[in-house]
């Protein structure tokens, strides 16, 4: 079973619901899942999203549901991955740990970028075609700010927040984040004041972090070794081909690692980026050409070629035939 089908679900979530007056069994029933899932520590991506969507459906407003749950979630209920962040040295250290250990809880992935006077944290989804529910997106970004507030003991504010979907009472969220909220954007992103990242955490616990780090790092390393990086790259490539040629930097960013790390791990598995890109293009070309409703130019675009001539040359190299002749032969075999 791949890691992205095994998502660690925080038990504190159910406790928090109870404190809000929301019965866990109501959420589970709304999600169409067996009641026994309340006692499960691991769920799959479909169950994970269903639970969050059910909680959202039971709340009269997404924004209200976000803020209520973030505020009620007590630090004693934090899982080890979050404890390592909460007891970090400063806000930057905490965010770095959150991004690193989030890898143990796919399909969420945090991409942190520091530039000029701001730090942006973008939420991406890995290994699933299903977008995360708006409630989960809001909770994730709100908790990153809440982590800074609780760790520093200061009422930190965000510089800006962007959501890809409607989030209910935006004014309520603006009051919480302390900044303007943009909805209907192209991404889900929290932007912080970079100067806040140097703020020390009053919750810093050197001894606890030194205990947690080796255990979490070992778990993460074991998980990464158990995953086929080749399959991960192919998965990202399949979803990134249309209209352009994804490069290794783009794919590495999607997987939350550096170019060098990605190259090394591919080499360890006996392959490299370029042949994987070629393989995916070839496979998709055959698949799309088998659909007579697609023009050759559309097929070229769908597999990342900007012009039809480049696609023709590549296809002749793969099949020793032109796309149109190959299509005619294949369609003839099926009739």
């Amino acid at each position: 079973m791949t890691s992205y089908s095994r998502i660690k679900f925080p038990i504190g979530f159910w406790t928090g619901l109870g404190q809000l007056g929301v019965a866990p069994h109501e959420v589970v029933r709304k999600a169409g899942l067996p009641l026994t899932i309340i006692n499960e520590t691991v769920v799959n991506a479909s169950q994970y999203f269903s639970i969050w969507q059910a909680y959202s459906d039971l709340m009269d407003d997404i924004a209200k549901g976000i803020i209520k749950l973030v505020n009620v979630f007590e630090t004693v209920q934090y899982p080890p991955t979050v404890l390592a962040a909460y007891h970090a040295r400063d806000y930057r250290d905490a965010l770095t740990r959150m991004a690193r250990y989030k890898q143990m809880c796919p399909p969420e992935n945090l991409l942190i970028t520091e530039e000029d006077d701001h730090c942006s944290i973008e939420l991406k989804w890995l290994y699933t075609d299903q977008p995360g529910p708006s409630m989960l997106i809001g909770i994730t970004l709100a908790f990153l700010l809440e982590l800074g507030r609780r760790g520093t003991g200061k009422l930190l504010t965000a510089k800006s927040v962007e959501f890809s979907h409607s989030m209910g009472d935006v004014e309520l969220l603006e009051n919480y984040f302390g900044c303007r909220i943009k909805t209907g954007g192209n991404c889900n992103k929290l932007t912080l004041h970079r100067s806040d990242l140097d703020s020390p955490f009053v919750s810093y616990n050197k001894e606890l972090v030194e205990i947690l780090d080796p255990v979490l790092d070992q778990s993460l390393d074991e998980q990464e070794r158990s995953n086929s990086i080749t399959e991960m790259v192919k998965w990202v490539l399949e979803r990134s081909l249309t209209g352009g040629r994804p490069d290794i930097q783009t794919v590495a960013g999607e997987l939350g690692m550096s170019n060098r790390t990605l190259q090394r791990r591919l080499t360890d598995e006996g392959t490299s980026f370029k042949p994987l890109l070629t393989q995916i293009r070839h496979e998709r070309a055959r698949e799309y050409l088998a659909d007579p409703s697609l023009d050759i130019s559309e097929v070229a675009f769908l597999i990342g070629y900007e012009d039809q001539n480049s696609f023709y040359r590549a296809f002749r190299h793969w099949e020793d035939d032109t796309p149109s002749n190959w299509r005619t032969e294949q369609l003839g075999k099926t009739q």
Side-chain angles (χ1 to χ4, degrees), residues 233-235 237-239 241 275-285 303 318:
V233 169
K234 287 165 68 174
W235 187 93
L237 285 173
E238 286 176 355
R239 288 150 183 80
L241 284 178
L276 290 180
L277 175 58
T278 300
Q279 178 189 344
I280 293 299
R281 281 180 149 171
H282 186 187
E283 291 174 357
R284 290 295 160 265
I303 65 172
W318 299 332

Side-chain angles (χ1 to χ4, degrees), residues 84-99 147 201:
Y86 176 65
H87 293 294
R89 184 182 299 277
D90 54 35
Y91 198 10
R92 178 180 285 103
D93 185 22
L95 291 173
T96 301
R97 289 169 185 275
M98 282 294 291
L147 175 66
F201 268 25

Side-chain angles (χ1 to χ4, degrees), residues 6 55 91 93 123 135 137 184 196 202 216 264 301 327:
R6 293 177 57 81
Y55 168 63
Y91 198 10
D93 185 22
L123 174 61
M135 181 68 77
I137 293 168
D196 287 337
V202 294
L216 293 174
R264 174 177 55 77
F301 176 78
R327 166 179 271 175

